[in-house]
Amino acid sequence: MPKRFRLTRRFPVAMTEDGYRGLKKFAQDAGLDEGEALSFLFEHFDSVTDSEVLMIKLRQFNSELEARKK
């Protein structure tokens, strides 16, 4: 029996323009709305990310974060 898909949590999210464009494109390509796309990505996080590349990108993002806030 498949799990019923219920959106039970809502939270305010701040995203960069590039991040939001990427989310919208992914959602559109997958035939989902943005909330469903985020749910999919986080429910399957380990299988949709390469942990080595993720850590490299995370370090890079963190090193640029303060400059991007200005």
Side-chain angles (χ1 to χ4, degrees), residues 28-59:
Q28 183 179 26
D29 292 347
L32 303 169
D33 68 30
E34 287 89 353
E36 293 165 342
L38 280 174
S39 290
F40 171 81
L41 289 172
F42 283 105
E43 285 181 18
H44 302 283
F45 189 76
D46 291 336
S47 64
V48 298
T49 60
D50 178 327
S51 60
E52 290 180 25
V53 174
L54 176 65
M55 295 313 296
I56 292 167
K57 293 293 186 180
L58 183 58
R59 281 193 297 274

Side-chain angles (χ1 to χ4, degrees), residues 2 7 10-11 33 44 53 60 70:
L7 296 176
R10 296 189 185 277
F11 59 98
D33 68 30
H44 302 283
V53 174
Q60 180 183 9
K70 295 177 183 178

